[in-house]
Structures are given as structure tokens and as C-alpha cells.
Amino acid sequence: MEQIEGLVIRTHGGHYYVQTADRLADLVDCSLRGRLKRDRREADLVAIGDRVRYEITAEGAAVITEVLPRRTVLSRRTPPPRPGARSGRAQVLVANPDQVLIVFALGSPPLNPLTLDRYLVACEAAQLPIMIVANKNDAPLIEEERALLRRYRGLGYGVLFTSAVTGENLEELRTLLRGKLSVLTGPSGVGKSSLLNALWPELDLEVGEISEYHDKGKHTTVVARLLNPEPDIYVADTPGLRVFYFWDIDKEQLDAFFPEFRPFLGNCRFQPCTHMHEPGCAIKQAVERGEIDPLRYESYYRMFEIEQED
């Protein structure tokens, strides 16, 4: 049978919707061949962003026969089934992304540096280029949060201040997305859908509210999908993630994913060093000298403890 290649645009309930190279208006609704289903063990076999080959059966059904090798992948550990438990399976958020745009809001919901740092560590581990998008830059009385995000520029991360309301830096955001498959991720309620609607009103994405009780966003994106608003732009609009559970990152590896730690690694008195309690720790000494931001070290400390508890 003829093998047809395409890009997985959306997945839902065992259905995989594929865009073919000739960019037909209708996506092809595919299922998985039985052999591929049996191969699915520790991670999602097919995710948005995957390039696949499928064939049309005699009954007229489209069946995926092969998933092509991934260049890159952004994954997280699936949330635990119950408190105190640990999931042993990876949730592939997006396959083959070129970059990750981590969206946070200024003002509401409040910026949580630990949450931002968890996203950054996950992207560092996946070796993916990162841009921090600080949305709602029109909000009043947020200079402290702006100053906090500017400190990330000193670590080598790009920070783009945007506003879906005033249009600030929206064209710069469009330029950043052009020619790439980008992941747009971040907590709920930070304005990911609002930014996309401001750039492409025809998308008409649902926009959520902020819960006054918890000051957290309500989920509006339920199914992960690839949006294709312009011919050379693909944007993975992922559900808001309140917790980014690391996948395949041991706590002993955490220090390697903090760029400002790297010049000091290997200089501690004890090897290996957790940089938690050991005397003669080069990382803690760098914090004391002001060469490493105490807030970033606090994020490392808390992540190490969380992974230890898991």
C-alpha cells in the first residue's frame, strides 16, 4: 500500500489528525496500527509535532504505520495518580519543537520564580532554545516582577515583554515564531490564548478567567494541538501546566541545567556535591559572593528537595 507522510496536528482519544505535505484543508483522522500500540510503554508513541507515515486500508481507514525519528522532544512526567505516588510514564507535550516560549503574566496570576525555573530546567535538559514571554505588561504596579525577569537576561535568556491588550511587541513575537515549530507553554491564565488571538483574531481561541480565590488561571486549552495560522508558523498550544513534573532528570543532574552554576561545577571540596549541606561547596560560596542569584539557588535547593521526596 502507498505510504503517505504527514505531520500530527492534534491527538484526542486514540485519534491522530495528520496534515499531509500538500496541506489539504481536511486533516486525515488516523488510528495506530496494532503493532505500534504494543510498542507504547514508558512514553507517548505519537504526539503533536510527530512526522508519521500512514496508509489507507481496503476499508478506507487511515492507519499510522511508522513514527519517524524525533529531532527534539519536550516531555514531562505524568501527574501522579494520587498524592504521595509517583508516575513512571512520560507525557510527550510536543515532538520536534524548534523552540519553547515560556509565557508568564505580570500581576495576575502572580509570577512564581520557582515555577519559571522548573520550566527553564526542563528546556535546558531537552536542549531547546528558550524565550521568556512576560505578558500583561500593561498591568499597573508590577515593576518588581519586571525587574525580576530582567535578571534572567543576565543569565542569557531572552525576555520579551508583551501585552495582548495594547499590542506591545506582538510583531516581534510573530517574527520570533516565523519559520519554526514553537511550543507556547506556561501556567494557566497567563494569556497564551489572548496573545494568539491578538496576532490572529481568526483563531478565536477561548480565553479563560482568573480565579479570585486562588489567583490562578482556569484551563481553557484542553487538547494539545498544533496551530498553523500562517504557512511557515506552527505553534503548539498546550494546556496550562500548574506543575511541571520532570521526566528523566535525576536530582544529581539538576546543577548542570542552571547555566550560572556551570563555571563552578567540579570545584567543590567533595565530589559529587549536592550543593546543599557540604562544606567547601563552590556553588554556595558563589552565592555568598553575589556571583549566583540567591533566588536561583533557592529554586535549585527546593527542586532538589522535591525530587528527593518524589
Side-chain angles (χ1 to χ4, degrees), residues 111 197 203-204:
L111 177 63
N197 281 338
L203 292 176
D204 195 24

Side-chain angles (χ1 to χ4, degrees), residues 121-177:
V121 165
C123 294
E124 290 279 356
Q127 299 182 322
L128 288 167
I130 306 160
M131 172 67 75
I132 300 169
V133 177
N135 192 32
K136 305 185 183 180
N137 199 36
D138 54 288
L141 304 176
I142 52 172
E143 189 50 45
E144 184 177 343
E145 291 186 346
R146 287 196 192 103
L148 174 64
L149 286 172
R150 291 190 191 104
R151 291 152 82 173
Y152 284 88
R153 285 178 172 162
L155 303 176
Y157 295 114
V159 180
L160 183 67
F161 290 92
T162 64
S163 169
V165 175
T166 67
E168 179 183 0
N169 284 332
L170 289 188
E171 285 309 309
E172 287 79 357
L173 180 59
R174 189 197 306 267
T175 299
L176 189 66
L177 296 170

Side-chain angles (χ1 to χ4, degrees), residues 104 111-119 152 295 298-300 302-303 306:
F104 274 76
L111 177 63
N112 185 327
L114 175 61
T115 303
L116 172 56
D117 288 336
R118 287 187 72 87
Y119 278 98
Y152 284 88
L295 274 178
E298 182 183 349
S299 283
Y300 167 83
R302 292 174 65 186
M303 284 184 215
I306 290 168

